[in-house]
Amino acid sequence: MYQISSMEKLINELTKLPTIGPKTAQRLAFYLFKLSKSEALKLAEAIIEMKEKITYCKKCFNISEGDKCFICNDEKRSDLSICVVAECQDVIAMEKIGTFRGRYHVLHGVISPIDGIGPAELKIKELITRIKECGTKEVILATNYDIKGDATALYLAREVKPLGIKLTRLSYGLPMGADIEYADKTTLLKALEGRREF
Amino acid sequence: MYQISSMEKLINELTKLPTIGPKTAQRLAFYLFKLSKSEALKLAEAIIEMKEKITYCKKCFNISEGDKCFICNDEKRSDLSICVVAECQDVIAMEKIGTFRGRYHVLHGVISPIDGIGPAELKIKELITRIKECGTKEVILATNYDIKGDATALYLAREVKPLGIKLTRLSYGLPMGADIEYADKTTLLKALEGRREF
């Protein structure tokens, strides 16, 4: 359509990104074109640098620029409490709380038979080895509250409980600012089941 | 926040793009991280290639990989009819119609005193020279239907009309599929003013 192959190629690459449709891709491509060369190349260089430098932490499988991530390297934190998450982005979300002083373990996915992902495809074996080696006292399951997250949590429970370790899962209920009138019935049911003494 | 400088840098660069907020930038960065190295580098290379190869057509100021763009190079099209647009993206939109056989002239902006953009900042002088040299018969103004687009059209009219050339502007009225009940009054007014014999 553009008859300018380098522009078509860029728009095509941008369209492959999640949340970017053809119209946004065109807008971004023209924005990059109008930027100064050095400004536009900063993005290209940032992609190259990220791909070259970032790898996975050998202990918790979070992203890292070295063998161990900044959390595993932090001696003020300990493996006594390990929070198990599905993806690296979940670590960022949990870290925003700012009070958790344990460490993480990233599974890199959730159990999903329909996508051909079973326990063997996740970092579960590594979690079990780590728990045994580090004398972990509590494992906090922080998987999403959906079918795949539930299946993963159930599987992990079966693996971790026999080790005699305290196993908890994030609580479910009404989110902050929620309006009971408009809450869906499953959330309300979970909030009722999980009610706590006032 | 991420304590991983190359990831922070990439997210920072992505956030500078239009329509990309911090959450989308994080999502895109992790998506690029999870891609194979060769796939992720394709985007970086496409940006670099675009910045190296694309320049402006010396005649109509559309984007081009050579001195002249593919439209100015197309001998089946002529300068007898020149469609004046504000931005290169507008050329793409107009070309989608598929029937216009004239050529374009990209102004690279519109008159906007508040942003310090006057006629001298736009490719207006070049348009006048081109019209005189190429024996143009009709100039079609295709600027947006807003204050800046109107101001630009009015200014161009004052420059082009004395040359004795037919000057037209895209018509305004109800868009295809519009519902009269919900049309805004300015659009309806323009549709009434521009009514044509049936």
Side-chain angles (χ1 to χ4, degrees):
Chain A
M1 183 170 69
Y2 306 96
Q3 302 217 17
I4 296 164
S5 66
S6 52
M7 188 56 107
E8 276 178 12
K9 204 188 279 178
L10 176 57
I11 291 173
N12 183 33
E13 288 302 323
L14 288 167
T15 313
K16 289 180 188 168
L17 299 175
T19 78
I20 311 278
K23 286 214 171 183
T24 308
Q26 180 182 306
R27 187 170 169 189
L28 295 178
F30 274 96
Y31 176 85
L32 287 168
F33 173 62
K34 286 217 159 184
L35 280 184
S36 71
K37 193 168 178 179
S38 68
E39 273 299 318
L41 293 192
K42 268 190 196 168
L43 174 58
E45 284 155 10
I47 295 169
I48 294 167
E49 191 184 330
M50 178 274 292
K51 286 307 281 186
E52 276 171 359
K53 284 197 181 164
I54 302 186
T55 173
Y56 291 115
C57 171
K58 287 193 171 150
K59 192 169 168 187
C60 75
F61 304 99
N62 188 11
I63 57 168
S64 170
E65 285 185 354
D67 272 358
K68 271 194 189 175
C69 74
F70 73 99
I71 296 171
C72 288
N73 264 331
D74 184 347
E75 306 218 335
K76 290 197 198 105
R77 306 180 73 139
S78 85
D79 279 358
L80 289 177
S81 172
I82 292 180
C83 177
V84 178
V85 296
E87 302 289 350
C88 300
Q89 293 95 305
D90 300 331
V91 174
I92 296 169
M94 292 297 294
E95 278 298 283
K96 281 185 188 152
I97 308 174
T99 54
F100 179 64
R101 303 308 297 156
R103 293 204 176 113
Y104 295 91
H105 192 88
V106 184
L107 297 175
H108 285 278
V110 281
I111 293 173
S112 173
I114 209 166
D115 303 312
I117 301 171
E121 275 70 46
L122 308 176
K123 303 290 180 195
I124 293 178
K125 214 169 57 207
E126 291 84 350
L127 173 65
I128 304 302
T129 313
R130 189 176 161 196
I131 291 172
K132 286 178 184 164
E133 280 175 3
C134 303
T136 302
K137 301 281 184 225
E138 179 177 7
V139 169
I140 302 164
L141 302 177
T143 54
N144 286 346
Y145 183 37
D146 54 21
I147 293 172
K148 294 174 190 176
D150 285 353
T152 311
L154 281 171
Y155 182 88
L156 284 171
R158 232 174 41 196
E159 295 285 309
V160 173
K161 272 194 177 161
L163 306 175
I165 288 164
K166 187 176 169 192
L167 187 75
T168 56
R169 193 173 176 195
L170 295 186
S171 70
Y172 296 108
L174 294 164
M176 281 303 289
D179 202 326
I180 291 177
E181 183 180 355
Y182 300 114
D184 66 287
K185 68 178 183 186
T186 319
T187 301
L188 270 182
L189 172 68
K190 289 287 162 186
L192 182 66
E193 283 176 359
R195 68 189 180 280
R196 296 166 74 174
E197 205 161 328
F198 194 69
Chain B
M1 182 169 69
Y2 305 97
Q3 303 218 16
I4 297 163
S5 67
S6 53
M7 188 56 107
E8 276 178 13
K9 205 188 279 179
L10 176 57
I11 291 173
N12 184 33
E13 288 302 324
L14 288 167
T15 313
K16 290 181 188 167
L17 298 176
T19 76
I20 311 279
K23 286 215 173 184
T24 308
Q26 181 181 307
R27 186 169 170 191
L28 294 179
F30 274 96
Y31 176 84
L32 287 168
F33 174 62
K34 285 218 161 183
L35 280 185
S36 71
K37 192 168 178 179
S38 68
E39 273 298 319
L41 293 192
K42 269 190 196 169
L43 174 58
E45 284 155 10
I47 295 170
I48 294 167
E49 191 185 329
M50 179 274 292
K51 287 306 281 184
E52 276 171 0
K53 284 197 181 164
I54 302 187
T55 173
Y56 292 114
C57 171
K58 287 193 172 152
K59 192 169 166 186
C60 75
F61 303 98
N62 188 11
I63 54 168
S64 169
E65 283 186 353
D67 273 359
K68 273 193 189 176
C69 73
F70 73 98
I71 297 172
C72 288
N73 265 331
D74 185 346
E75 304 218 338
K76 291 198 197 103
R77 305 179 75 138
S78 86
D79 280 357
L80 289 179
S81 174
I82 292 180
C83 177
V84 178
V85 296
E87 301 290 350
C88 301
Q89 294 94 306
D90 300 332
V91 174
I92 297 169
M94 292 296 295
E95 279 297 282
K96 281 185 188 153
I97 307 173
T99 54
F100 178 64
R101 303 307 297 153
R103 293 203 175 115
Y104 295 91
H105 193 87
V106 184
L107 297 175
H108 284 279
V110 280
I111 293 173
S112 174
I114 208 164
D115 303 311
I117 301 171
E121 275 71 45
L122 308 176
K123 303 290 181 194
I124 293 179
K125 214 169 58 206
E126 292 83 349
L127 172 66
I128 304 301
T129 313
R130 188 175 162 197
I131 291 172
K132 285 178 183 164
E133 280 175 4
C134 302
T136 303
K137 301 280 185 226
E138 180 178 6
V139 170
I140 302 164
L141 302 177
T143 53
N144 286 347
Y145 183 38
D146 54 22
I147 293 173
K148 294 175 190 176
D150 285 353
T152 311
L154 281 171
Y155 182 88
L156 284 171
R158 232 174 41 193
E159 295 285 310
V160 173
K161 271 194 178 162
L163 305 175
I165 288 163
K166 188 176 169 192
L167 187 75
T168 55
R169 193 173 175 194
L170 295 186
S171 69
Y172 295 108
L174 294 165
M176 281 302 289
D179 203 325
I180 290 176
E181 184 182 353
Y182 300 113
D184 66 288
K185 68 177 182 185
T186 318
T187 300
L188 269 182
L189 173 67
K190 289 286 163 185
L192 182 66
E193 283 174 359
R195 67 191 181 277
R196 294 165 74 173
E197 205 160 329
F198 193 69

